[in-house]
Amino acid sequence: MTTEPAAKLIQPNAQNQYTVTAADLPLACPMPGMHLWNSHPRVFLPIERTGWAKCPYCSAEYTLQR
């Protein structure tokens, strides 16, 4: 259970695109700070090689800031 207020949590979904940094690696969706209770199983996304990844569950798109 998270101790963060619910207002600070974001919902992963296809309407969102996220920019991530090397500090976020290894990349998993949902990320820390996203709602987990009504989301999907945690999946690790290979973003290092291409700089871009799309979650197969929720279609959230991630771009790696280099």
Side-chain angles (χ1 to χ4, degrees):
M1 180 177 256
T2 182
T3 59
E4 293 184 52
K8 290 186 178 186
L9 298 177
I10 55 176
Q11 177 65 42
N13 61 49
Q15 302 301 315
N16 290 311
Q17 294 185 344
Y18 304 97
T19 301
V20 295
T21 66
D24 297 312
L25 302 179
L27 178 61
C29 185
M31 294 178 62
M34 292 179 172
H35 284 288
L36 299 177
W37 59 271
N38 67 347
S39 195
H40 55 70
R42 189 173 190 200
V43 60
F44 286 91
L45 305 172
I47 195 171
E48 295 86 355
R49 187 171 50 108
T50 63
W52 183 85
K54 185 173 186 173
C55 177
Y57 287 100
C58 68
S59 298
E61 296 180 359
Y62 297 90
T63 303
L64 180 60
Q65 182 178 11
R66 299 192 190 253

